[in-house]
Amino acid sequence: FVRRGAGRVDGREVAESDATEFYVAPALQYVASPRVVFEASVQLPVARRAGAQVLRTSGSVLLGARYLF
């Protein structure tokens, strides 16, 4: 869930610059060893209410590796 408030320019609020978005993010983890983990996630929008001045994202990808010491 992401809530963005209205933007401001010169101290004044910009019309239609706020947004509320809800994402789902399925993920995979691969445990290569007890100390090494690789992971991947895709963030996809499910519900979106955004003004005309808001940049919209169609999705995001997150890749990661963890080393547990």
Side-chain angles (χ1 to χ4, degrees):
F1 179 78
V2 177
R3 167 77 177 115
R4 294 184 183 99
R8 296 186 173 273
V9 174
D10 292 330
R12 292 182 298 200
E13 191 172 289
V14 177
E16 296 189 44
S17 63
D18 61 330
T20 303
E21 301 168 320
F22 184 76
Y23 292 90
V24 64
L28 292 174
Q29 283 189 335
Y30 173 69
V31 180
S33 74
R35 299 180 79 156
V36 178
V37 177
F38 297 100
E39 53 194 7
S41 175
V42 177
Q43 187 180 43
L44 303 169
V46 175
R48 180 183 301 159
R49 188 202 58 77
Q53 300 292 325
V54 177
L55 295 174
R56 291 175 176 86
T57 303
S58 59
S60 300
V61 175
L62 174 67
L63 301 174
R66 295 184 198 196
Y67 177 74
L68 308 172
F69 56 94

